[in-house]
Structure formats: C-alpha cells, structure tokens
Amino acid sequence: RAAGTPGARAFLRGLAAIGPAEVRRVAAKAADAVRADEPSWAPDLGAVTPGQVWLIQEGPLDGDRLVCEFRYPEGRDLHAVAVRLSYGDVPSEIVPVGDVPALMTAARQAMQAELCTVQPYSPAAVGERLRTVLDGQGTAGGGARTLPDECYPALALARHRISLLP
C-alpha cells in the first residue's frame, strides 16, 4: 500500500481475490486505499466459473493428473489448473495452464499412442479430493504433510480455483 503504484494496487487486488483467507479482507482494504490506476482486468480477479474436469493417467504407478478448467465472466479466457498426484494422493506438481486446447490436444495424441488415458471426471469428486490434498492433509500416513517446493508458486491460485468446484 505504501508504494502507491498501479502495480502495488493490482498485487493487493490479487491477494484480495486469491490470497490466503486470513489476508483477503485486509488486502482489499489496502487496495481501496491506493489512489493509483487499476488495470481493466482487476475486477475479474477471482471471478471465474468452473468448467470440465479431466483425469489423465500415464500409467498405474505414475499417479493422476487432474486438469480443472475455468472461465472468466461471459465465458472469456479458458484456463486450467493441472495438479499431479503421486501415490497416496501426494501433490507433486501444480501448473496453471493458459492454453487448454493445446494441452488437451497433446493429451489426446498421447492417448492415441497408448501412453496415457484421458477421461472426464466428476468436478465434485475432484473438488473434494484436491481440497484435501492442497490443504496438506492427504490420505497416506494419516496426518498433515508439507507440500513439495514445486507446488508453492501456483498454490494460492490452485487453492482458490479448486475452492470453486462443487
């Protein structure tokens, strides 16, 4: 807030939309206090609608990749969050996907080459499963776990998006 720049205001809007629950209200108030211009897309931060969910399995021992699609208001800007779960539902990778059609084309090509399977999956089942693992609970070992470092760059976005699934 002290910086007072357009970038600082956009960053605070991002925190207010998808940041940890305990800082969202404070970040929104701080963004409101900054008198700098705001990008035209700022009001859409966090305002997405879930779409299709896909399960991609590359082999019985490689775990699952769950791809959850989302769109901004008026159906704009299809994007996704892909979460790879290894044995015991341990998250090993979280990737924001900007080009969903290219990802799904590559997955279908891999499926035709018999390198993986691709199937639609229940958004409600995926929502429950991913909320559990992204909150560090998991199913193996019976207790809370620390997520791998590779998961942290996209964790806030993934937690927000997955919270919108049924």
Side-chain angles (χ1 to χ4, degrees), residues 44-91:
D44 288 342
L45 282 169
V48 297
T49 302
Q52 293 183 294
V53 174
W54 302 95
L55 170 65
I56 301 174
Q57 293 179 313
E58 296 173 7
L61 301 177
D62 290 330
D64 297 342
R65 175 170 283 148
L66 298 161
V67 178
C68 308
E69 297 179 357
F70 299 90
R71 288 189 184 271
Y72 284 100
E74 290 100 39
R76 294 186 332 262
D77 300 325
L78 176 65
H79 62 285
V81 173
V83 179
R84 181 186 290 275
L85 300 174
S86 60
Y87 177 76
D89 272 2
V90 176

Side-chain angles (χ1 to χ4, degrees), residues 104-155:
M104 296 311 294
T105 296
R108 281 190 288 281
Q109 289 171 346
M111 186 176 69
Q112 290 170 346
E114 298 182 8
L115 299 173
C116 71
T117 61
V118 178
Q119 59 190 6
Y121 208 70
S122 161
V126 169
E128 182 178 337
R129 185 177 178 190
L130 288 181
R131 281 188 290 273
T132 297
V133 300
L134 294 180
D135 287 338
Q137 300 304 308
T139 58
R145 81 173 96 224
T146 302
L147 297 173
D149 289 344
E150 295 79 17
C151 293
Y152 282 100
L155 185 58

